[in-house]
Amino acid sequence: LGRRFARRRLRSHQRLRAFLLEMFSTFQICACTNELCLLGNVEPKPHAALALTYGFTVLHGLTLSGNACNPCGTLQLVWAGGTSLKAGGLQIGAQFAAAVLARAFMRFLWSLELAEPHFGALSQRCSNPMQITEVQAFCIELLFSVVFQLTVLRVERVHPKYKVHLIALLITMLVYAGGNLTGAIFNPALAYSLHANCFYDRFLSYSLVYWIAPSLGKFLIRYGF
């Protein structure tokens, strides 16, 4: 509804329209993934969590086409000359605003304790998705970012209804391979929405792993391959 309103009612306000479209899209991804993290312990493990990951990713792919929803994707557009620095900065601002809003919204929703997984969710501080050393986590997030972006570039000409399933399958595989090590996030805005408390407690290490590493991966794609 928010995206439809922005498209139809704000045609004469291009910057505001672009900001809201990107914010609503990133909000959807961050809110859904926050809830998905709570459902990760649903039996049978890890099949239920992986099935939900695949389903949510297909849903996002079908409904959010045309939006980056990832600061790294926006940076790559800027580096490639696909958008201006000012427009890219506005887009990244929208993504992080959505990350904060999604975090606040989900915490409000969890406070209502509508479902069993919500019980005690608010009492958690940093859930610490890094189960390995910082250097190893940095390398994994960098690698996953490179693999993901290379795949996206390779399937650009694939029909959209098939492409969303290929991307969803790749993300599910990456989550299965590295979810128990780093969370397999490779999206700075999503990482902040999921683990904001971790950034407050250990800003340097978490910014290196979840902001610098995926951004460097996009840079390597642009200039190294």
Side-chain angles (χ1 to χ4, degrees):
L1 288 174
R3 285 166 55 82
R4 181 172 295 181
F5 172 82
R7 282 200 178 106
R8 292 185 176 182
R9 303 294 182 180
L10 299 174
R11 293 179 180 177
S12 59
H13 301 81
Q14 291 298 320
R15 288 185 181 177
L16 179 60
R17 180 173 177 265
F19 181 90
L20 289 178
L21 284 174
E22 190 66 30
M23 187 180 75
F24 288 138
S25 301
T26 309
F27 178 91
Q28 176 179 314
I29 289 179
C30 291
C32 287
T33 310
N34 268 280
E35 182 68 13
L36 181 59
C37 287
L38 287 186
L39 299 177
N41 293 322
V42 173
E43 296 292 346
K45 299 181 189 178
H47 306 85
L50 292 174
L52 288 169
T53 299
Y54 181 86
F56 273 131
T57 307
V58 171
L59 174 66
H60 298 323
L62 292 173
T63 58
L64 303 180
S65 60
N67 292 98
C69 305
N70 187 335
C72 297
T74 301
L75 286 175
Q76 188 181 38
L77 278 176
V78 173
W79 287 332
T83 188
S84 66
L85 182 62
K86 191 172 184 178
L90 184 69
Q91 199 172 87
I92 292 175
Q95 291 158 356
F96 276 98
V100 173
L101 289 174
R103 176 75 175 177
F105 175 77
M106 294 310 298
R107 289 181 70 83
F108 166 75
L109 193 64
W110 294 338
S111 70
L112 302 178
E113 297 187 340
L114 300 175
E116 184 178 347
H118 296 175
F119 300 157
L122 295 180
S123 63
Q124 297 178 2
R125 288 289 297 168
C126 173
S127 56
N128 194 14
M130 277 196 289
Q131 303 300 315
I132 51 180
T133 67
E134 293 176 8
V135 174
Q136 292 172 327
F138 181 92
C139 292
I140 288 177
E141 287 292 312
L142 173 65
L143 174 64
F144 283 3
S145 179
V146 170
V147 170
F148 176 73
Q149 189 57 37
L150 278 176
T151 304
V152 169
L153 293 175
R154 291 293 183 182
V155 300
E156 276 186 345
R157 297 181 181 179
V158 177
H159 193 283
K161 71 177 182 180
Y162 300 122
K163 182 167 70 173
V164 294
H165 289 281
L166 291 174
I167 297 299
L169 179 61
L170 171 66
I171 290 177
T172 304
M173 292 173 61
L174 293 177
V175 169
Y176 178 73
N180 63 328
L181 301 176
T182 66
I185 302 172
F186 48 91
N187 181 333
L190 178 59
Y192 185 73
S193 184
L194 294 177
H195 305 293
N197 290 328
C198 297
F199 282 92
Y200 301 150
D201 296 339
R202 299 168 58 190
F203 177 79
L204 181 59
S205 61
Y206 272 75
S207 60
L208 284 173
V209 172
Y210 295 107
W211 290 355
I212 303 301
S215 299
L216 182 59
K218 305 299 183 184
F219 179 82
L220 292 176
I221 292 295
R222 177 72 177 91
Y223 294 103
F225 292 91

